[in-house]
Structures are given as structure tokens and as C-alpha cells.
Amino acid sequence: MNVRRFSSPILRKAWIPYFILIFTLLLSVLTMYFVGLETKENDGLRFNNIIERTQGIVNNELITYITLLEGSSGLFAASEDVTREEFNIYVSRLNLRQQYPGIQGIGYLERVTTNEKELFVDQAIAEGQPDFHIWPDTGQSTYMPILYIEPLDKRNEVALGYDMSSESVRKAAMDKAVQTGKPAMSGKVTLVQEIDQDKQAGFLIYLPVFRGGVIPATAQEREANLQGFVYSPFRADDLLRGILGGEKSPQIDFRV
């Protein structure tokens, strides 16, 4: 009896270090768990902030490009007949490739009916484009061929004469621009400028040009008075590299 009463407190004391060890381990695990949750939450907040900042940068650049198109539409509003030379001089002054990295160019396409088609092509040839023709020639009643595009490099030159209304994604964006009287962005397309084997995803922004230089009040009037569009084509990889590629310590990677 005496031995059992003597040993019981000893046994209880022997468990104390183990209890403290287990308690300490559990406390450490819980601490690591909550620290991990807080770190993950902070990382998520930082990532979301970077995403929002990047989206803001891209959106601001696109607004700048839309402003360029609005200036180009003003050129056509101020003159009833903008020549190829005048358009070339105007866009050259903008210094696009140096001042606005990522933009492929600024172009102008004109609405042409079947009856106007032959005269339209003859005038384009007379202005210095001996190989100009409307393509694809689908036999429709109205065409939207690219008449001007600058800078007229090898890549952009192949787009001359292309009928934008012959492709559904482009046509949908142009229709939206006419309906609203405001700039409209197309969905994803492969630009006709993609002459290399490595083709990039692309998109376009259109701004309608109306006869008389004034935006008509209603969609019906806008459709009736539509002269054409000023537009810009964009190669997505080039655009994002141009906008974000200058960062010394990029915090985000992306893939198109």
C-alpha cells in the first residue's frame, strides 16, 4: 500500500514533460497553420493588386489608342476627300512605333457599293497602289475595303483592299460601332497582316466616320450616313510587350 501511494505522484510527474512537449508541438502546428493562412491571404491580396494595376495600365493605353482614332476621324470630318498622301503625312506625324508601342497602325476603310466598286478601285490605283483590288470578292452589294493603312510596311501592305465586312467577327464590331456611334473592339481574330508562320492572336478597334463630319443622332441615321471607319489593328503579344515590357522588375507573367 505504501509503495503504491509513493509511486503514484512520481508517475504523474513523469508525464509532465511529455504533456508539455505535446502541447508545444500542437501550439507550433496551430501557429504555423494560422501564419500560413495569413501569408496566403496577403499573397492573394498582393497578386490581386498587381492584376488590377496591370489591367489599369492596359486600359489606359487602349484609351490613348482610341484618342488617336478620334483624332484620325477628325481628319476625315474636316475634309471631304482625304488623299493617301495626306493620310500618310498625318499618321507619320504621330510617330506611332516610337510613341505608342504595340499598335500595328492606323487605317481607313470605306463603304463601297457594287456600283461604286470599279471607280473606287481605279481611284486607289491612280493614287499610287497599282495592285489595289477588293478581296475577297464575294459578290455582295456592299464592301468595306481597307483603303489606307499607315505605316505602310510589308506587313500592313498586304491588308490593303481587304473587305472587313466579309468576316463575321470584324463585321459584328463595325455594326456595334455604327449602332452606338462610339468605338467598338472586335473579338479575337487572326489579322490579315499575319504573314509569318508564327501567328499572334489579334483584335481591332473601329471608330465610324460619317458624312458631313457630324455623328447622327439615331442608329438609322448613322447607318444611312456612314462613310467608313478609322481603325487600328493590334497583335496581342506585341501590344502587351509594348505596354508592359519596359518594366525593370516585372511582378507578373502572362500568356496570350
Side-chain angles (χ1 to χ4, degrees):
M1 295 290 294
N2 293 336
V3 173
R4 284 196 296 271
R5 284 197 298 271
F6 178 76
S7 62
S8 180
I10 296 176
L11 290 174
R12 284 197 299 271
K13 290 180 180 179
W15 277 100
I16 291 175
Y18 295 103
F19 174 78
I20 294 174
L21 176 62
I22 293 172
F23 177 78
T24 303
L25 289 174
L26 288 174
L27 184 62
S28 299
V29 170
L30 288 173
T31 302
M32 292 174 63
Y33 173 75
F34 286 112
V35 169
L37 284 180
E38 185 177 359
T39 301
K40 184 177 181 180
E41 183 178 354
N42 290 337
D43 287 344
L45 289 173
R46 282 194 295 269
F47 180 75
N48 289 334
N49 288 336
I50 293 170
I51 291 294
E52 290 179 3
R53 183 177 66 84
T54 303
Q55 289 176 335
I57 292 172
V58 174
N59 286 337
N60 288 338
E61 287 296 323
L62 290 178
I63 290 172
T64 299
Y65 297 146
I66 289 172
T67 302
L68 289 176
L69 290 180
E70 290 173 340
S72 301
S73 69
L75 175 67
F76 288 90
S79 174
E80 293 183 0
D81 185 20
V82 177
T83 66
R84 183 179 302 279
E85 182 180 2
E86 290 171 337
F87 189 77
N88 170 267
I89 293 172
Y90 174 80
V91 178
S92 296
R93 295 279 180 90
L94 297 175
N95 201 13
L96 289 180
R97 297 290 166 82
Q98 286 71 38
Q99 298 297 326
Y100 306 96
I103 192 171
Q104 181 62 31
I106 294 178
Y108 169 70
L109 52 133
E110 190 162 299
R111 182 161 72 173
V112 180
T113 65
T114 301
N115 294 335
E116 299 167 332
K117 179 183 173 184
E118 185 175 349
L119 178 60
F120 179 82
V121 171
D122 289 344
Q123 289 177 338
I125 292 174
E127 279 195 337
Q129 292 295 328
D131 298 323
F132 187 90
H133 63 285
I134 297 176
W135 62 281
D137 192 349
T138 56
Q140 57 196 49
S141 60
T142 304
Y143 301 86
M144 289 287 185
I146 300 171
L147 180 60
Y148 306 143
I149 184 166
E150 297 290 343
L152 194 60
D153 54 18
K154 181 180 179 181
R155 190 180 292 277
N156 280 337
E157 190 172 17
V158 301
L160 288 173
Y162 176 66
D163 175 20
M164 290 277 195
S165 65
S166 66
E167 195 276 317
S168 60
V169 176
R170 292 170 171 84
K171 187 176 186 302
M174 290 188 290
D175 289 344
K176 182 179 179 180
V178 174
Q179 290 168 8
T180 62
K182 298 179 180 180
M185 182 184 297
S186 78
K188 177 184 174 182
V189 299
T190 299
L191 301 177
V192 294
Q193 286 95 329
E194 292 297 338
I195 56 178
D196 300 327
Q197 186 173 357
D198 183 18
K199 301 184 186 303
Q200 296 184 20
F203 66 95
L204 308 105
I205 299 177
Y206 297 95
L207 183 65
V209 175
F210 301 101
R211 296 184 186 90
V214 178
I215 301 176
T218 68
Q220 291 78 9
E221 290 174 331
R222 288 192 287 271
E223 178 64 35
N225 290 280
L226 180 67
Q227 176 179 320
F229 296 87
V230 288
Y231 81 102
S232 282
F234 296 89
R235 305 177 78 212
D237 289 5
D238 289 352
L239 175 66
L240 293 176
R241 277 195 293 265
I243 296 174
L244 305 173
E247 294 185 339
K248 294 181 179 180
S249 301
Q251 297 178 296
I252 188 171
D253 193 12
F254 57 86
R255 182 174 61 184
V256 180

